[in-house]
Amino acid sequence: MTPLRYPDGHLGRLVTGLQSARAVLGDVRFSSLPAGKRSPVKVPGSELSTDALPAGMFVNMDPPEHTRYRRLLSKHFTLRRVRELRPRIQEMTDRLLDDTESSGGPVDLVAAFAKPLPMLVTSELLGLPEEDRAPFGHHVDVLFSLSSSGEEMQQSMVLLAGMLHALINAARKDPGPDILGRLTVETELTDEELLGITTVLLIAGLETTTHMLALGTYALLRHPEQLAALRADWSLMDDAVEELLRYLSVVQIGPIRVAAEDFEFEGQSIRKGEVVTVSLPAANRDPQGFEDPDTFDIRRGAARHVAFGSGPHQCMGHHLARLELSIGYESLLRRFPRLELAVPAQEIGTREMMVTYGVPELPVRW
């Protein structure tokens, strides 16, 4: 934990160690409420809001409110429930790969596979109509871009809210078996609470998994010895997913916390109102947590990483994300045993100006 001067002059902290990251994220004295939060990067239009907390936006809440929402939702994301989704996710994956193969290649793997798969899975879980999926994906991109203007972000937020209100109204009139339909029947959540919850679940289910699928494939193609080891023993897939999550750590900014009181933490005096930013990529490359951390090794056994965060705010959909990644990688690599980049590696661009790191395009052939 080291001092960090924020763009507005606030002197807060940056956490880069694995143990310290876990400790901060598990300590309720570090608040998740938006009041007092500051972004560690200054980009027009991307400043964190300090407005009143939207109802249902549980990722920006502290206990007991956060706990109440998590309890309502957690049963939909248990390991048992997620495992029941495997046949359907496999079916979606195979259909996308059928279309990819029929194109003859080369193709942009982001557009053909990495982006549509999480959209299909998340849309089905929450009942998002097919005609809304493309515009929804566009608005999510705008909100995650650090180069979006304030006007663009506000417009996307308004349009997203309108789409989700329509989705909630439809679920109340004719509840389906999806999560939103069940919430309208099984809980007394208001429309505004459902709006906040649905926003969190849809955005969380899309952005990170999309870029892990694409960037993870790119990483495997750039490490042929690791890819060969995986092809020789598919039982390594779960370990490969964990190592890719650690090695890539696509969430580049945050989590961000604010000290709710004065207290001592790891020998340092923390003052009420101090902003603390946890760097997940740095924590996942901590040499005290992982031997030779800058080496990509699918046999490492890296399950103790913090790519999904840690503590009470750990990503609730981590079981689902792991399943999508394992099915996606294995199905892709089995279908195309000669998969390779269709352009020189130095021509592959990266997404530095986004909250989540990745590749905007990944041209491949087979």
Side-chain angles (χ1 to χ4, degrees), residues 80-363:
R80 178 180 177 181
R81 171 63 183 133
V82 166
R83 283 174 173 169
E84 293 173 354
L85 300 174
R86 175 178 282 276
R88 182 63 179 137
I89 295 174
Q90 186 67 64
E91 180 184 334
M92 296 175 181
T93 302
D94 291 341
R95 188 168 72 248
L96 288 171
L97 293 178
D98 288 343
D99 293 341
T100 300
E101 187 172 17
S102 66
S103 72
V107 300
D108 171 18
L109 199 67
V110 175
F113 182 63
K115 193 163 189 174
L117 180 57
M119 177 63 82
L120 287 170
V121 174
T122 307
S123 296
E124 186 160 305
L125 284 176
L126 291 171
L128 186 68
E130 185 172 354
E131 61 271 17
D132 287 343
R133 294 171 187 175
F136 191 94
H138 166 74
H139 296 313
V140 170
D141 287 343
V142 170
L143 294 177
F144 270 77
S145 173
L146 299 178
S147 56
S148 296
S149 67
E151 293 76 12
E152 289 172 327
M153 295 182 76
Q154 181 64 31
Q155 183 182 33
S156 282
M157 289 174 67
V158 169
L159 293 172
L160 271 178
M163 293 168 59
L164 293 177
H165 270 303
L167 188 65
I168 292 165
N169 290 336
R172 288 205 185 278
K173 292 177 182 178
D174 184 19
D178 53 79
I179 294 174
L180 182 57
R182 292 174 65 181
L183 288 175
T184 62
V185 172
E186 298 172 1
T187 73
E188 296 181 357
L189 293 168
T190 67
D191 284 3
E192 289 305 311
E193 287 177 305
L194 288 172
L195 175 65
I197 289 170
T198 308
T199 300
V200 171
L201 295 182
L202 276 169
I203 291 177
L206 295 178
E207 189 73 5
T208 50
T209 307
T210 290
H211 298 297
M212 271 303 305
L213 279 169
L215 195 61
T217 301
Y218 181 49
L220 287 167
L221 293 176
R222 294 283 284 159
H223 294 83
E225 74 292 345
Q226 297 294 309
L227 178 54
L230 182 59
R231 289 189 184 280
D233 182 2
W234 293 109
S235 69
L236 292 172
M237 178 54 70
D238 287 346
D239 287 337
V241 168
E242 298 304 325
E243 176 66 349
L244 285 165
L245 287 163
R246 179 202 72 84
Y247 184 72
L248 299 174
S249 302
V250 296
V251 176
Q252 295 289 292
I253 299 175
I256 301 170
R257 300 288 187 262
V258 180
E261 58 186 81
D262 294 345
F263 60 97
E264 292 293 314
F265 181 82
E266 295 190 344
Q268 300 190 40
S269 296
I270 305 297
R271 299 302 175 203
K272 182 178 180 179
E274 268 192 275
V275 180
V276 176
T277 296
V278 177
S279 173
L280 301 182
N284 281 337
R285 298 288 187 99
D286 180 358
Q288 295 185 26
F290 303 97
E291 184 179 353
D292 195 13
D294 293 329
T295 295
F296 176 52
D297 180 4
I298 64 172
R299 293 185 174 89
R300 178 187 298 277
R304 63 190 182 280
H305 64 74
V306 288
F308 291 110
S310 187
H313 281 274
Q314 183 184 36
C315 175
M316 191 162 50
H318 66 95
H319 292 311
L320 178 60
R322 286 179 162 104
L323 181 62
E324 287 183 65
L325 293 174
S326 63
I327 291 175
Y329 293 139
E330 183 167 349
S331 299
L332 174 70
L333 296 173
R334 282 183 180 273
R335 178 69 68 97
F336 303 117
R338 296 183 180 180
L339 188 72
E340 63 179 5
L341 296 177
V343 298
Q346 60 267 29
E347 294 183 16
I348 303 294
T350 51
R351 292 163 37 102
E352 288 89 354
M353 294 299 291
M354 302 292 284
V355 175
T356 48
Y357 187 63
V359 288
E361 297 178 347
L362 188 65

Side-chain angles (χ1 to χ4, degrees), residues 18-39:
L18 180 64
Q19 180 178 335
S20 295
R22 287 191 174 280
V24 168
L25 296 175
D27 194 324
V28 296
R29 294 174 297 181
F30 291 105
S31 173
S32 295
L33 294 173
K37 280 187 179 180
R38 292 165 168 82
S39 173

